[in-house]
Amino acid sequence: MARREIQLHCEEACLHRPVLCPNDCAACGEMRIKDVSVHRFKCPWEVIDCALGLAPIHPNAMVPHTERDCLLFVVECPNLCGCRIRRMDVQKHLDGDCPLVDVECPQGCGCCMLREDLADHLGVCEEVPCKCDACGEMVPRRKLESGHHARLCPMRLCNCPNAGCLFQGLGNAVKAHLASGECRRAPH
């Protein structure tokens, strides 16, 4: 072999030539190029895929990665509601499912409670729309309970406001009665 061929063989083709760990691991030192493929299986700095499949990491970083960073790792709800979810779904859980998150009443009454107590609150909230049994209109519970029928419901039973008149009718009928001029007022 010519000197140039020997030099080229030693630099590029020789399986016994010394090389450094391909992972830049100073602890591994030099090895023969033919041993690199075997070395990669035991090198603590060989990059591998996360066991759950999202990120390439070093094997000695697997435990910290899964416990702190891996988005597919299953974790407890931070509110300790008992739910176990993937780390990537924690915010979604807190925004829509966690029963131990503080929420405001969706009816705008100003009350704040745990999500798990919302259904009970809506059962008594004064701003929840309720159907008037007489006219069918949806009115806030507070209005229904505080005089919707007494003052506003067109289907309420009303007396003529003129003293001595015995007319009774639904709210709209009283207005028509007064407009008709047929009101029998008490004699003066």
Side-chain angles (χ1 to χ4, degrees):
M1 276 188 160
R3 182 181 190 109
R4 176 75 180 126
E5 290 175 347
I6 292 173
Q7 184 180 2
L8 190 61
H9 168 78
C10 289
E11 290 175 3
E12 295 180 14
C14 182
L15 297 178
H16 295 281
R17 75 179 185 276
V19 292
L20 293 175
C21 173
N23 297 315
D24 293 327
C25 173
C28 296
E30 283 188 357
M31 66 197 74
R32 293 179 296 184
I33 194 153
K34 71 177 192 150
D35 298 328
V36 169
S37 60
V38 172
H39 170 74
R40 292 186 95 138
F41 285 106
K42 61 182 181 176
C43 178
W45 292 101
E46 176 70 12
V47 175
I48 61 172
D49 285 334
C50 163
L52 298 173
L54 275 187
I57 56 170
H58 295 290
N60 59 351
M62 181 64 78
V63 172
H65 164 74
T66 54
E67 291 179 359
R68 286 192 320 255
D69 305 320
C70 183
L71 297 177
L72 295 176
F73 191 70
V74 175
V75 296
E76 296 281 334
C77 168
N79 289 337
L80 303 176
C81 74
C83 191
R84 295 181 48 79
I85 53 231
R86 294 181 304 178
R87 183 175 278 118
M88 67 191 306
D89 296 329
V90 168
Q91 193 58 51
K92 179 180 171 188
H93 168 72
L94 294 174
D95 291 344
D97 300 324
C98 182
L100 300 181
V101 169
D102 286 329
V103 294
E104 289 186 24
C105 174
Q107 298 302 322
C109 74
C111 287
C112 190
M113 72 234 55
L114 293 176
R115 184 176 282 125
E116 69 182 357
D117 298 329
L118 182 59
D120 291 338
H121 168 75
L122 291 175
V124 297
C125 177
E126 292 187 350
E127 295 301 320
V128 170
C130 297
K131 187 175 181 179
C132 172
D133 291 334
C135 69
E137 183 181 349
M138 297 299 285
V139 295
R141 181 179 283 127
R142 68 179 161 74
K143 288 184 178 179
L144 196 60
E145 293 173 355
S146 70
H148 167 76
H149 282 287
R151 291 175 290 147
L152 302 172
C153 181
M155 300 302 285
R156 71 191 183 281
L157 188 59
C158 300
N159 294 324
C160 177
N162 293 322
C165 182
L166 301 177
F167 179 84
Q168 270 192 334
L170 300 178
N172 291 339
V174 172
K175 287 180 187 175
H177 163 73
L178 292 171
S180 72
E182 297 178 10
C183 179
R184 297 191 182 137
R185 298 180 188 190
H188 294 318

